Amino acid sequence: DAKTTQPNSMESNEEEPVHLPCNHSTISGTDYIHWYRQLPSQGPEYVIHGLTSNVNNRMASLAIAEDRKSSTLILHRATLRDAAVYYCILAGFNQGGKLIFGQGTELSVKP
Amino acid sequence: NAGVMQNPRHLVRRRGQEARLRCSPMKGHSHVYWYRQLPEEGLKFMVYLQKENIIDESGMPKERFSAEFPKEGPSILRIQQVVRGDSAAYFCASSGATVNTEAFFGQGTRLTVV
């Protein structure tokens, strides 16, 4: 299975942008890049996903490198409610259509 | 459109009893996934089901655990003869398709074995 590598933890200040990196050098051409987050004591929550082009939605932006070997989740203005573990996941036919979670990045947001 | 509903939210069982965890997917979703999260650990895939079929059970322990997703009704994760090591949060997710769509997760069932 293609793997992703993320920093274990990151810190941010409230109302500042946050860039969460993810490396996936063994990504295959048909793998989608998904991001989920898990707030304390809750189930994971979908954030965004993309294949090749950068993507924007109401929660975040996803910037995908041209060679697709890395991507960055961008939270434009972090709030205290964004403190969570963020997971970068490759999803495709190679993974049998299921999401395989790694360790993720624990984001803390300081007021 | 209600989200993914899991019940019960909390379940306490004595060692040796059976635990039945229920998951009602979002309306129109035919793909269901179960995950387990041990305390202070990450989410581990257990099983992937479509209506009446088990697609992938590579993450399921070989004994005591079973899952079903009948034609009618919720998906059930069943743990027989529970042991203390089964204490964990069990999450269910559903999607309308695989790969290129989002999955929606329930709030989980927290199983405590005493």
Side-chain angles (χ1 to χ4, degrees):
Chain A
D1 288 348
K3 292 190 183 299
T4 63
T5 304
Q6 300 177 252
N8 288 332
S9 62
M10 290 184 65
E11 274 189 358
S12 171
N13 294 317
E14 196 175 12
E15 299 196 4
E16 290 186 357
V18 182
H19 291 234
L20 296 162
C22 181
N23 289 320
H24 29 78
S25 58
T26 59
I27 190 171
S28 75
T30 56
D31 286 342
Y32 284 78
I33 302 159
H34 286 241
W35 284 82
Y36 284 76
R37 71 180 185 180
Q38 187 175 24
L39 281 65
S41 301
Q42 294 192 27
E45 175 187 28
Y46 168 81
V47 178
I48 201 166
H49 78 281
L51 184 62
T52 56
S53 303
N54 295 343
V55 185
N56 298 297
N57 67 20
R58 63 174 180 80
M59 287 183 70
S61 296
L62 176 60
I64 302 173
E66 197 170 332
D67 63 5
R68 302 213 320 130
K69 293 185 176 182
S70 65
S71 61
T72 302
L73 178 70
I74 303 165
L75 306 179
H76 295 286
R77 288 183 66 197
T79 70
L80 297 179
R81 290 182 297 177
D82 291 322
V85 179
Y86 286 78
Y87 297 96
C88 169
I89 303 167
L90 301 182
F93 296 107
N94 292 328
Q95 292 78 30
K98 58 188 183 283
L99 299 171
I100 303 297
F101 288 79
Q103 291 304 305
T105 296
E106 184 170 9
L107 175 67
S108 57
V109 180
K110 296 185 290 184
Chain B
N1 189 6
V4 176
M5 303 301 292
Q6 289 189 248
N7 67 80
R9 291 291 307 276
H10 299 274
L11 181 62
V12 179
R13 283 288 177 265
R14 295 186 185 280
R15 281 178 295 170
Q17 290 184 319
E18 178 180 287
R20 291 172 72 90
L21 287 61
R22 294 174 186 78
C23 169
S24 296
M26 286 186 70
K27 188 176 181 180
H29 284 187
S30 59
H31 301 255
V32 166
Y33 313 81
W34 285 93
Y35 291 81
R36 177 165 67 173
Q37 188 167 35
L38 295 166
E40 307 301 323
E41 293 192 14
L43 288 140
K44 301 297 183 189
F45 167 79
M46 299 182 74
V47 63
Y48 164 28
L49 310 103
Q50 281 186 270
K51 283 287 187 181
E52 301 184 274
N53 292 306
I54 296 175
I55 306 301
D56 183 338
E57 56 181 350
S58 57
M60 286 277 271
K62 292 287 184 278
E63 297 177 349
R64 301 186 299 108
F65 285 72
S66 62
E68 62 177 10
F69 187 17
K71 187 176 180 182
E72 301 292 337
S75 175
I76 306 287
L77 179 67
R78 183 183 178 204
I79 311 173
Q80 295 178 290
Q81 299 177 321
V82 296
V83 301
R84 288 224 171 101
D86 296 332
S87 296
Y90 292 82
F91 293 98
C92 164
S94 75
S95 69
T98 62
V99 180
N100 63 342
T101 61
E102 61 208 79
F104 294 84
F105 283 78
Q107 290 302 300
T109 293
R110 279 150 184 83
L111 172 66
T112 302
V113 179
V114 297

